[in-house]
Amino acid sequence: MTRAPQLVGILNVTPDSFSDGGRYAGRDQAVAAGVQMRAEGADWIDVGGESTRPGAPEVPVGQELERVLPVVEALVAAGVPVSIDTRKTPVAKAALAAGAEVVNDVNGLRAPGMVDAIAAAGAGAVIMHMRGTPEDMLSRVTYDDVLTDVRGFLAERLAVARAAGIARLWVDPGIGFAKTADQNLVLLRRLGELGDLGAPVYVGASRKRFIGAVTGASDPADRLGGSIGAAIAAAQHGAAVLRVHDVAATRQALAVMIAVHGSA
Ligand code: HH2
């Protein structure tokens, strides 16, 4: 029996994110987009102030804070559950103090002080697998076995987070982060093998490059159909949470998938 995954709506307050970069010129537009995704069925809104697309440069802490904090504060005030997408401890701390409930860290909680900051706030965390940094990760795609490598990393980081006392944890194979298109497909196909880590699996495949490689859709904005396909595949392989740009369409596709699975 397949369960409907929870949905996280992507809200990038950046000029350069690969799909929605530059879309929200001001705080009010970003907040309205978050409220809209929540109304469409998102369980959380994931607010990010630094693009992590391949080749993206690091953003200074002050600038990332200026981008995300007003949006986090306004969404929290509007009653919207928020996660903060950051690999920087000061940004995580400030967002948690402003009411964010979860830290979504593409760097697997490896920054100094990150694990303790999340534990002290009583917050949850998403642990994602990545190699290197967004700037150099495309050159770090040689694995003995990609699933085994990713699972080993997640197990190690999960143990550290649990030992520090973080109670709510998710693991994420990091689709597109130091992976080739084929490796992303392998990770989705073998997602079920992450189940024995004992933490729910979180997947971010929405509009990513491998969908372009499979379908020929070179513009991320043209990858809705492929993103829905990836969401359904991930759900059928046990994903508990999906991070998506297109909340309403994904919700609709999942409802049909669940209706079919439940009607046998
Ligand atoms: N992907 C992106 C960013 N954050 N977090 C998790 N847990 N999993 C992911 O797969 C993931 C993530 C990259 O996508 P996006 O935020 O849409 O673009 P950009 O990094 O260019 O801002």
Side-chain angles (χ1 to χ4, degrees):
M1 179 81 184
T2 309
R3 287 243 196 113
Q6 292 188 298
L7 291 185
V8 173
I10 300 171
L11 188 62
N12 286 314
V13 203
T14 61
D16 59 343
S17 285
F18 81 94
S19 182
D20 59 352
R23 197 162 150 202
Y24 311 116
R27 186 196 83 143
D28 292 352
Q29 272 175 288
V31 173
V35 168
Q36 166 80 17
M37 285 191 281
R38 172 71 174 160
E40 290 172 358
D43 296 279
W44 293 280
I45 302 301
D46 190 40
V47 179
E50 176 183 67
S51 174
T52 48
R53 72 184 192 289
E58 191 168 336
V59 172
V61 170
Q63 196 174 5
E64 193 176 327
L65 278 171
E66 270 171 37
R67 291 177 181 175
V68 296
L69 261 195
V71 176
V72 170
E73 283 166 359
L75 286 175
V76 169
V80 176
V82 169
S83 60
I84 179 73
D85 184 350
T86 189
R87 47 193 174 128
K88 300 193 188 76
T89 305
V91 177
K93 274 188 183 169
L96 293 174
E101 295 169 34
V102 172
V103 176
N104 172 30
D105 184 358
V106 299
N107 197 33
L109 312 181
R110 285 179 290 178
M114 182 64 103
V115 166
D116 291 337
I118 297 169
V126 181
I127 300 175
M128 199 196 80
H129 172 273
M130 172 172 66
R131 273 181 172 174
T133 64
E135 248 171 316
D136 70 2
M137 64 188 177
L138 278 188
S139 62
R140 306 181 63 150
V141 294
T142 306
Y143 297 87
D144 288 337
D145 176 83
V146 67
L147 194 282
T148 308
D149 276 36
V150 165
R151 191 175 50 190
F153 171 87
L154 294 175
E156 187 262 321
R157 298 310 302 158
L158 204 48
V160 170
R162 282 180 174 144
I166 304 177
R168 291 177 81 199
L169 288 159
W170 293 261
V171 289
D172 182 334
I175 299 295
F177 287 83
K179 314 316 181 296
T180 64
D182 280 348
Q183 288 164 347
N184 290 317
L185 295 174
V186 168
L187 288 170
L188 288 173
R189 190 177 307 134
R190 294 176 59 192
L191 206 57
E193 294 177 44
L194 299 179
D196 63 3
L197 293 172
V201 175
Y202 185 111
V203 173
S206 186
R207 300 191 195 174
K208 284 189 176 167
R209 246 177 229 222
F210 80 100
I211 295 172
V214 169
T215 63
S218 52
D219 183 344
D222 293 335
R223 295 177 187 158
L224 173 60
S227 300
I228 300 285
I232 297 293
Q236 290 182 326
H237 285 97
V241 181
L242 301 175
R243 181 180 180 275
V244 302
H245 297 88
D246 304 286
V247 173
T250 310
R251 177 61 70 214
Q252 189 181 85
L254 290 170
V256 173
M257 182 199 76
I258 293 299
V260 170
H261 281 276
S263 64

